[in-house]
Amino acid sequence: MTKNSKFLILASIIMLVFMFQSCEKDIYEEQIYQSKFKISYVNSIALDNNNLLMQKINKTTLFKKNSLNRIITDTVTGISIDTDKVKYIIGEDFNSYTFKIIKPDQTLLDNLVLISKNGGEYKAYGMRYTLSDEEKLRLDTQEYIDFTNKCKAVEIEDSNSLEEILSKFNFSEQCDLIYVWEEVISIVACTIDGCFSAPWATISYGHILVATRVCSSGGNNNAEGSSEIGTSPHGGGNAGNDVVDNPCLTLKKHLSATVGVKLKSPTMVPALQDLLNQPLENGKSLIKTNAVYSTLDAPVGTDSKITVKYGGTIFGSIHLHPYPSGAPMFSWSDVYSLVLFYNFADNDILSEVVIYLVCKDNNGVDQLYALKIDNPDIFSDALIADINATVIPSELEDIAESEKTKEILKLMDYQMKLDLQRSPDKELGFLKKFSNFGISLYKANTTMTNWSKLTLQNPNSQNPTVLPVPCN
């Protein structure tokens, strides 16, 4: 997910709709960090188009193929190599393909790496990662992992079978891995068939592990041979940009007791739930600095509003709506706050942008909702159109320049309140209002162990209903 100029200055665009000026674009446009490594997700079409790679694949016994030349699972062992989602990496002097090895017993993470140095023949390596469940989650959500003493590499001969590769990891060969790790954020021009993101461009984001495999014999320290392996540990995840933008991955992470902002910890959602019967709003800003999450308390609101900070390492907020005076759903101002978080957040945390709402529903049951951006372009256009359709310019004639945005939000919140009043089911009312705004509404389950995306079922009928789709 990257900032585009239209979405980047949406706070200013609200003013521009009414012919007022802003210079925020010049202040806040930033360049995305360009790494010397590039990652993209490719599929079997891309593999077929690489002649050198296919020469290596065709002369090994690793890949079992069916009559259509597609990889199949070994029916005896149940082991296979996933060719539907493959990490393709371009470095300064190498390119590599990293495949996930799929086993019936998936307690350890095994990868197959095919690497070509300076355009030469591909060499094959097996990589094994001993990661905890928490670290596997961090791998899927692109967070830092310390791989010290957690990875092992073995060189693969053409005659090796998958079973033989896996057995190699059990031998204590005199080899050490000396590696460098880099978090990569860049734009990849993906010009080969088989890239997932049309029109052949994708956001690259992930881990790069460049390891020098130094082996010695006889237990001495004299290196007899070394080889450099460039790979990106492959835990599966999702193909294409979904690796960055899949809301379920980031939302589920924050429900963990060990990673993310730890929504279930005593200082977060449970504490806010205890305050729901108080008349004022409470909340926190959510922060990610160098892959470390933290929160910042917001000043207690003086009315039905709360002020949270945004910008830089702040990627969102969590706040409550008092019960029973507050609506058990996001307000228009809440939705608009996504603009501010996205607008001014550092580029490397854009996929994290989220707002959470703690409230009680009409039956007095505690609920936790989340709101995520799916499409910044659609979102910005929809917000501007909604303002144009709701606010009459003459309503702002006697309002001071410094107060106009506040007045616009007040008018939009009032209209949103009327819209929700017409729908006893607040989830349904919200979805009918924002279903085509490029955003998605999520609801946590009662145990706060998973989320469901709330969608409209039969949206074009006279009586649409809310369909919860649990996150996988």
Side-chain angles (χ1 to χ4, degrees), residues 9 17 117 130 132 142 156 176 219 234 275 289 308 372 408 434-435:
I9 59 170
V17 169
K117 300 279 289 185
T130 308
S132 65
Q142 310 301 335
I156 298 172
D176 292 318
H234 190 0
L275 300 173
T289 307
V308 294
K372 295 282 289 185
I408 292 171
F434 293 103
S435 62

Side-chain angles (χ1 to χ4, degrees), residues 256-301:
S256 168
T258 55
V259 298
V261 295
K262 305 174 186 175
L263 292 173
K264 293 171 69 172
S265 68
T267 56
M268 289 291 284
V269 171
L272 289 174
Q273 289 172 335
D274 289 341
L275 300 173
L276 284 172
N277 292 323
Q278 296 189 9
L280 302 179
E281 289 197 5
N282 285 263
K284 298 173 183 286
S285 298
L286 309 177
I287 303 168
K288 184 180 181 183
T289 307
N290 297 324
V292 177
Y293 291 94
S294 60
T295 62
L296 178 67
D297 287 335
V300 177

Side-chain angles (χ1 to χ4, degrees), residues 134-189:
E134 176 185 329
E135 288 167 330
K136 290 176 183 176
L137 180 61
R138 289 183 176 179
L139 182 62
D140 278 343
T141 54
Q142 310 301 335
E143 294 179 60
Y144 173 75
I145 299 170
D146 183 357
F147 287 98
T148 303
N149 299 322
K150 293 175 183 174
C151 60
K152 186 173 183 179
V154 294
E155 192 165 351
I156 298 172
E157 303 296 332
D158 290 345
S159 60
N160 289 148
S161 65
L162 272 173
E163 297 89 327
E164 289 172 328
I165 293 171
L166 298 179
S167 67
K168 282 176 176 282
F169 290 119
N170 297 322
F171 296 102
S172 56
E173 186 180 5
Q174 296 287 332
C175 289
D176 292 318
L177 282 173
I178 304 169
Y179 68 87
V180 296
W181 182 92
E182 181 170 342
E183 186 176 51
V184 179
I185 306 168
S186 60
I187 301 295
V188 178

Side-chain angles (χ1 to χ4, degrees), residues 182-203:
E182 181 170 342
E183 186 176 51
V184 179
I185 306 168
S186 60
I187 301 295
V188 178
C190 198
T191 58
I192 56 176
D193 287 340
C195 292
F196 278 101
S197 300
W200 318 122
T202 183
I203 298 170

Side-chain angles (χ1 to χ4, degrees), residues 63-336:
F63 296 88
K64 298 177 182 293
K65 307 176 186 68
N66 60 17
S67 59
L68 297 177
N69 205 36
R70 289 288 174 258
I71 312 306
I72 60 174
T73 300
D74 187 319
T75 55
V76 177
T77 64
I79 303 172
S80 65
I81 297 172
D82 185 0
T83 58
D84 289 328
K85 292 178 288 188
V86 183
K87 282 191 174 181
Y88 174 56
I89 305 162
I90 301 176
E92 291 183 309
D93 61 351
F94 76 91
N95 72 82
S96 71
Y97 293 84
T98 302
F99 303 79
K100 182 180 179 182
I101 298 176
I102 301 173
K103 310 180 298 294
D105 179 11
Q106 203 73 37
T107 56
L108 297 172
L109 180 60
D110 293 328
N111 287 175
L112 168 67
V113 179
L114 297 182
I115 180 169
S116 171
K117 300 279 289 185
N118 298 311
E121 182 181 356
Y122 281 88
K123 296 188 66 174
Y125 297 91
M127 300 288 294
R128 168 162 287 181
Y129 302 96
T130 308
L131 302 178
S132 65
D133 290 341
E134 176 185 329
E135 288 167 330
K136 290 176 183 176
L137 180 61
R138 289 183 176 179
L139 182 62
D140 278 343
T141 54
Q142 310 301 335
E143 294 179 60
Y144 173 75
I145 299 170
D146 183 357
F147 287 98
T148 303
N149 299 322
K150 293 175 183 174
C151 60
K152 186 173 183 179
V154 294
E155 192 165 351
I156 298 172
E157 303 296 332
D158 290 345
S159 60
N160 289 148
S161 65
L162 272 173
E163 297 89 327
E164 289 172 328
I165 293 171
L166 298 179
S167 67
K168 282 176 176 282
F169 290 119
N170 297 322
F171 296 102
S172 56
E173 186 180 5
Q174 296 287 332
C175 289
D176 292 318
L177 282 173
I178 304 169
Y179 68 87
V180 296
W181 182 92
E182 181 170 342
E183 186 176 51
V184 179
I185 306 168
S186 60
I187 301 295
V188 178
C190 198
T191 58
I192 56 176
D193 287 340
C195 292
F196 278 101
S197 300
W200 318 122
T202 183
I203 298 170
S204 168
Y205 191 109
H207 307 290
I208 289 288
L209 192 67
V210 179
T212 301
R213 181 175 178 269
V214 181
C215 299
S216 59
S217 60
N220 59 52
N221 294 322
N222 297 320
E224 292 190 344
S226 65
S227 54
E228 192 174 86
I229 307 167
T231 184
S232 181
H234 190 0
N238 294 273
N241 287 340
D242 283 348
V243 151
V244 181
D245 296 338
N246 183 345
C248 280
L249 288 177
T250 54
L251 290 175
K252 288 170 71 173
K253 169 183 63 181
H254 294 306
L255 289 181
S256 168
T258 55
V259 298
V261 295
K262 305 174 186 175
L263 292 173
K264 293 171 69 172
S265 68
T267 56
M268 289 291 284
V269 171
L272 289 174
Q273 289 172 335
D274 289 341
L275 300 173
L276 284 172
N277 292 323
Q278 296 189 9
L280 302 179
E281 289 197 5
N282 285 263
K284 298 173 183 286
S285 298
L286 309 177
I287 303 168
K288 184 180 181 183
T289 307
N290 297 324
V292 177
Y293 291 94
S294 60
T295 62
L296 178 67
D297 287 335
V300 177
T302 56
D303 50 22
S304 61
K305 300 291 183 184
I306 191 170
T307 301
V308 294
K309 294 182 180 295
Y310 56 87
T313 58
I314 299 174
F315 65 89
S317 68
I318 181 170
H319 72 289
L320 62 83
H321 283 178
Y323 179 82
S325 60
M329 186 45 61
F330 292 106
S331 67
W332 204 96
S333 292
D334 291 338
V335 176
Y336 171 72

